[in-house]
């Protein structure tokens, strides 16, 4: 796998389309991350709290780290001191915990709300109704130590590109609805994180601002 070459290719995708690239380095060793970093990649995504912490501790401080996987509440405190963006906030209880842990260290943490857009039952995330309920609640106004920067979604894992496009389009439309419909101090709808190695082209066409690319940069993963 020529990691540096792939990073360069995605840099040109980023420039052409004005999107950010998150290099998803889960399961990959620090040496692979260093190759990508030396080729100019600065944002990396991990899906496990422990792995995120240990990579953060052993790699250059210039790297910015995104949490992109399901996060258990008891792990929040380990990543809150340094994480740049938690993309996978999928419940009100988790959001509360992030706010609480961030308050303890007087930090403001950026999060995305993960929205369930796929047909599969297994994917985590808020429904659109739950997000509207949250944004209309009094409670959200008390979360002084978080900023909701946008939304994240994962499309159904399928070859049916029409289905994938439909799901991305619906997420984009919900994103715009929230962006224009709410004026809250800790909500700043800037990022729409959608698209992975297999579907990022469709996601970009449908309005993604941030794609999360793992295997197309680092090669396939062996679990
Ligand atoms: C693993 C993962 C990715 C990257 O997947 P690839 O298909 O390897 O690009 C993106 N987003 C999330 C949430 C992931 O868990």
């Amino acid at each position: 796998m020529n990691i540096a070459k792939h990073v360069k290719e995605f840099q040109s995708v980023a420039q052409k389309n004005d999107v950010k690239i998150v290099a998803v380095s889960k399961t990959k060793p620090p040496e692979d991350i260093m190759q990508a970093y030396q080729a100019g990649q600065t944002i990396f995504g991990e899906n496990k709290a422990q792995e995120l912490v240990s990579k953060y501790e052993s790699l250059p401080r210039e790297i910015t780290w995104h949490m992109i996987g399901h996060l258990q509440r008891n792990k929040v405190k380990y990543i809150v001191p340094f994480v740049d963006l938690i993309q996978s906030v999928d419940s009100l209880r988790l959001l509360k915990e992030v706010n609480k842990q961030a308050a303890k260290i007087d930090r403001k943490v950026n999060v995305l709300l993960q929205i369930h857009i796929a047909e599969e039952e297994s994917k985590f995330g808020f429904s659109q109704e739950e997000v509207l309920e949250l944004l209309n609640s009094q409670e959200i106004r008390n979360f002084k130590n978080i900023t909701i920067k946008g939304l994240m979604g994962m499309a159904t894992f399928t070859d049916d590109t029409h289905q994938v496009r439909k799901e991305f389009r619906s997420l984009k439309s919900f994103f715009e609805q929230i962006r224009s419909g709410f004026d809250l101090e800790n909500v700043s709808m800037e990022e729409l994180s959608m698209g992975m190695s297999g579907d990022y082209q469709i996601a970009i066409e449908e309005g993604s601002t941030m794609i999360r690319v793992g295997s197309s940069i680092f090669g396939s993963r062996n679990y």
Side-chain angles (χ1 to χ4, degrees), residues 9-72:
E9 284 163 3
F10 276 100
Q11 280 169 348
S12 98
V13 170
Q15 263 184 349
K16 255 187 234 137
N17 301 286
D18 195 24
V19 296
K20 294 180 180 137
I21 313 288
V22 178
V24 177
S25 49
K26 61 192 186 196
T27 77
K28 297 294 175 182
E31 304 85 84
D32 288 13
I33 298 176
M34 279 309 292
Q35 280 186 40
Y37 174 67
Q38 276 153 1
Q41 179 67 36
T42 55
I43 311 173
F44 291 85
E46 289 285 338
N47 70 338
K48 292 203 166 73
Q50 289 100 321
E51 197 173 336
L52 180 56
V53 170
S54 76
K55 285 174 175 171
Y56 162 74
E57 284 171 351
S58 66
L59 286 158
R61 285 296 131 101
E62 289 72 24
I63 290 178
T64 51
W65 294 99
H66 290 190
M67 178 64 186
I68 62 164
H70 179 63
L71 179 60
Q72 288 168 290

Side-chain angles (χ1 to χ4, degrees), residues 57-173:
E57 284 171 351
S58 66
L59 286 158
R61 285 296 131 101
E62 289 72 24
I63 290 178
T64 51
W65 294 99
H66 290 190
M67 178 64 186
I68 62 164
H70 179 63
L71 179 60
Q72 288 168 290
R73 276 174 296 138
N74 60 357
K75 304 278 168 63
V76 168
K77 57 178 174 291
Y78 302 117
I79 69 166
V80 148
F82 67 89
V83 74
D84 186 61
L85 181 66
I86 304 175
Q87 297 206 13
S88 44
V89 171
D90 56 7
S91 71
L92 175 57
R93 292 169 80 197
L94 179 59
L95 189 65
K96 260 188 212 166
E97 181 64 16
V98 173
N99 183 67
K100 180 176 150 192
Q101 296 298 336
K104 275 191 191 166
I105 57 170
D106 201 23
R107 193 168 183 243
K108 211 164 193 171
V109 173
N110 296 321
V111 304
L112 303 182
L113 301 179
Q114 181 173 352
I115 312 296
H116 182 109
I117 57 171
E119 278 189 333
E120 290 120 327
E121 289 281 327
S122 61
K123 300 251 159 84
F124 293 101
F126 286 97
S127 67
Q128 297 192 359
E129 293 70 33
E130 287 168 334
V131 171
L132 293 175
E133 199 178 307
L134 171 66
L135 296 179
N136 280 310
S137 71
Q138 271 309 311
E139 198 169 21
I140 186 141
R141 291 154 209 274
N142 303 330
F143 296 159
K144 307 283 187 208
N145 290 81
I146 50 152
T147 305
I148 297 175
K149 285 278 184 187
L151 305 178
M152 187 270 259
M154 285 168 87
T156 305
F157 188 69
T158 172
D159 290 335
D160 182 354
T161 56
H162 295 289
Q163 176 70 26
V164 171
R165 187 178 296 281
K166 196 176 80 183
E167 290 171 5
F168 286 151
R169 191 167 291 178
S170 133
L171 184 58
K172 163 73 171 174
S173 134

Side-chain angles (χ1 to χ4, degrees), residues 1 3 23-25 28 32-33 36 44 213-220:
M1 215 50 190
I3 294 172
V24 177
S25 49
K28 297 294 175 182
D32 288 13
I33 298 176
F44 291 85
V213 185
S215 46
S216 289
I217 292 177
F218 295 107
S220 56

